[in-house]
Amino acid sequence: MRGGHERPDGGGGDARGEWRGEGTVGASGVRDEGGARDEALRAPEGAIEAAVTDEGRAGDEALRAPEGAVEAAVTDEGGAGDEALRARGGWLRGGGVDAVVVFALKVGFGVWLVARGLSHISDDDFARTVIAEQFAHAPRLDPSGTSWLPFPFWVTGGAMMAFGRSLDVARAVALGMSGVGAVLAHRALRAAGVGRIAAMAGIALAMASPWNAWLGATTVPEGFTGAFVAATAIGAQACGAGAAGRRCWVAVSAVLVCASLSRYEVWPACGVVALARIVAVVRAARATGRLVPGEWAVRTQAKNVAFALLPVAGCVAWMAWNLHAHGSATHFVARVTAYRHAIGAAGAPLGEKLAVYPRALLEAPEILLVSLAGFAAFAVAPTVRARWTLPLVTSLSVLAFLVYGETQEGAPTHHAARALVSIWWILAPFGVDGAHELVMRMTRRASWRAAAATAAVAGAGLAWSAARSDMWNLFSAQRGVEESRSAQLEQGYALRKAGAARLVVTPCAYEHFAWIAAYGAPESVEIRPASRAPVTTACPKVEQHAAP
């Protein structure tokens, strides 16, 4: 274990502000409570575009736009928005079928990888399963008692309480959570105004990228947190004012809290999304004349600002727990830093540290290439800028956070690429959406040509993913005897079936976590100090003590 111990809602939501529904919501607008809906719906196309496009100006016209204009402006050019889809076949056609297809593809892809023999990225995966088994046996607020965040253990351990403690349950939870993440990301794209074909193609490219594929099929939180971050960064812009907007924001915040209690690289995303909401609140107050000097902080808008800060609740709660349990709000940072020093992962030259994560981004070249179309469209299309500014800023914040953490010896200790999955979940659909927009502009909005070009761009990315490095086979590190855990898993399953108890294990390194995860009862195992011998199929050494 080189890393150490360290909803979709079915249905089209409210088109005026709920990103969980299919995409006819404004990117930043606030409803004009005065009405004038009919006039807005009859507004010419130029006025509609102006109402929802904020090109860096104060955005007052957008914030004052009646809700009908906002709705009409972000409906897909090809007629694939919620209203059009519901008119042609109701809720299932508007969103349910797409959600089911996305979930089935993501989970099915993971099942296929597991069937081919993919079992883990590192021994950390099995260590996480063991901690979840311990939580199911004896629940506690901080299941690991280390720097590892608690949400994945709550979810997996809770499932084990219901269905039994086993590695199979842990894998099922991991696959299910990765499927939920993909669905949330897809529905956020639709809510932001991305066309149906572009949204499906972008999600397909993201989920099939090598690291997203591997992580989604193993028992690690990165399998869902990357998609959660993408979903919230894309969908948060669709949360307007009023009751629907508040429900939307609560959903966005809840998803981010779950993700922030799973992985630390989510934390900067929480801050960026919350800050964007605060900016929108201030703009709305100015546009409606409610930003009265002397009343902003205390009376008029204090609750709105507090509401906007909901996404950071998980980060604050974890720091408060560390202060209570360990005497320091940043105890987890000190623990990670100490571990990196202990295993010799610290002390690299500054230049090398600065290059770790930018270099790791290159491990998904197909997504980076496709994203070039997104950046080209971003430069010329106001609608693309409106949709993708917040997600891109969020991606940049995650990258900067990780680079800084690496320079301070506080970043993840191995497999740097796995911390970047949220960026790839954003860049893949960004590039596909950009390609769609560029073709629409070049062909004078010929929808069928844009759809064909979109599918071709995503298909090319998928073909490259499939061709390079045999990437959809086993994770490369598992091909040697030292990294394979097949023997340990078989031994654990055999002892579980035999009902063995009171076992004493002497590991060679960290391979015993696979054995214990398969055995399923960590409380019945006594772990002796590791022998530090080379890991072979004979590791770990297992002895059975007679019952007293």
Side-chain angles (χ1 to χ4, degrees):
M1 186 183 65
R2 291 185 294 272
H5 273 314
E6 305 285 299
R7 136 185 116 172
D9 285 349
D14 191 321
R16 291 165 293 181
E18 194 160 7
W19 70 267
R20 291 169 294 178
E22 295 279 41
T24 56
V25 288
S28 62
V30 175
R31 291 204 301 258
D32 184 346
E33 297 176 0
R37 179 184 180 91
D38 294 339
E39 288 76 3
L41 288 171
R42 290 193 295 268
E45 180 179 351
I48 290 172
E49 291 180 356
V52 296
T53 301
D54 180 2
E55 299 185 46
R57 300 183 296 271
D60 288 347
E61 283 75 20
L63 288 165
R64 287 195 292 267
E67 62 179 327
V70 176
E71 289 178 12
V74 296
T75 302
D76 294 348
E77 298 90 341
D82 259 359
E83 299 299 328
L85 287 169
R86 282 198 289 268
R88 295 202 303 268
W91 173 81
L92 283 178
R93 203 163 183 178
V97 169
D98 288 356
V100 170
V101 169
V102 169
F103 184 86
L105 285 174
K106 180 59 175 167
V107 173
F109 193 22
V111 169
W112 178 71
L113 287 171
V114 171
R116 291 178 64 85
L118 177 65
S119 63
H120 65 290
I121 302 298
S122 73
D123 286 315
D124 280 3
D125 305 20
F126 297 118
R128 287 183 173 276
T129 300
V130 170
I131 294 170
E133 291 170 344
Q134 292 172 329
F135 177 81
H137 175 71
R140 59 178 184 168
L141 185 62
D142 182 4
S144 74
T146 70
S147 64
W148 278 352
L149 289 154
F151 180 76
F153 305 120
W154 295 343
V155 174
T156 306
M160 288 179 176
M161 291 179 188
F163 301 106
R165 297 186 294 168
S166 72
L167 188 54
D168 290 337
V169 170
R171 284 175 174 160
V173 171
L175 289 166
M177 290 295 288
S178 71
V180 169
V183 170
L184 290 176
H186 170 265
R187 295 184 74 79
L189 288 167
R190 298 289 284 128
V194 177
R196 191 178 189 186
I197 292 177
M200 289 291 288
I203 289 298
L205 177 59
M207 72 171 64
S209 179
W211 274 105
N212 283 339
W214 292 327
L215 293 167
T218 50
T219 57
V220 292
E222 297 96 315
F224 65 88
T225 56
F228 276 24
V229 169
T232 52
I234 296 166
Q237 302 172 95
C239 297
R246 288 192 293 271
R247 289 195 300 271
C248 169
W249 185 248
V250 168
V252 166
S253 301
V255 172
L256 272 176
V257 166
C258 293
S260 67
L261 289 174
S262 302
R263 291 288 299 181
Y264 291 105
E265 63 268 16
V266 174
W267 288 24
C270 296
V272 169
V273 172
L275 181 60
R277 179 70 174 187
I278 292 173
V279 171
V281 167
V282 174
R283 281 181 168 179
R286 285 176 176 168
T288 56
R290 289 179 293 189
L291 187 59
V292 181
E295 296 183 0
W296 160 253
V298 201
R299 299 178 181 177
T300 311
Q301 300 295 341
K303 288 194 292 186
N304 288 338
V305 172
F307 192 54
L309 291 173
L310 282 178
V312 303
C315 313
V316 173
W318 183 244
M319 294 177 73
W321 167 255
N322 273 262
L323 179 62
H324 165 74
H326 305 290
S328 170
T330 58
H331 168 78
F332 52 90
V333 177
R335 190 178 187 108
V336 171
T337 301
Y339 181 76
R340 285 172 64 96
H341 281 282
I343 65 172
L350 179 61
E352 184 175 331
K353 291 179 181 179
L354 292 173
V356 168
Y357 285 98
R359 187 168 55 235
L361 274 176
L362 300 177
E363 294 189 35
E366 68 285 348
I367 290 180
L368 296 182
L369 183 63
V370 169
S371 72
L372 295 178
F375 286 109
F378 189 89
V380 299
T383 54
V384 173
R385 288 198 293 274
R387 275 198 290 266
W388 291 102
T389 295
L390 179 57
L392 291 176
V393 171
T394 301
S395 296
L396 186 60
S397 73
V398 171
L399 180 61
F401 178 83
L402 289 167
V403 171
Y404 177 76
E406 184 69 26
T407 64
Q408 302 302 307
E409 308 294 359
T413 54
H414 60 89
H415 298 125
R418 50 194 293 182
L420 298 171
V421 290
S422 61
I423 298 177
W424 293 325
W425 272 105
I426 288 171
L427 290 181
F430 168 62
V432 173
D433 184 39
H436 178 272
E437 179 64 25
L438 290 174
V439 175
M440 288 284 284
R441 285 173 168 265
M442 290 187 293
T443 59
R444 297 183 181 180
R445 314 199 80 74
S447 297
W448 69 269
R449 293 178 181 174
T454 300
V457 168
L462 289 169
W464 188 359
S465 292
R468 68 181 183 89
S469 307
D470 198 22
M471 72 91 183
W472 282 345
N473 279 330
L474 296 182
F475 183 64
S476 58
Q478 295 179 30
R479 293 173 179 170
V481 174
E482 186 176 351
E483 293 292 339
S484 174
R485 297 293 177 261
S486 298
Q488 289 78 16
L489 292 173
E490 290 176 5
Q491 187 180 20
Y493 286 131
L495 288 170
R496 177 191 181 100
K497 185 176 181 180
R502 292 183 54 79
L503 301 172
V504 178
V505 175
T506 303
C508 296
Y510 298 108
E511 79 293 338
H512 61 296
F513 285 114
W515 179 91
I516 298 173
Y519 175 61
E523 71 282 356
S524 297
V525 179
E526 176 188 343
I527 303 175
R528 298 258 174 94
S531 66
R532 301 303 175 192
V535 176
T536 67
T537 56
C539 298
K541 179 182 178 182
V542 180
E543 304 170 85
Q544 185 171 1
H545 284 190

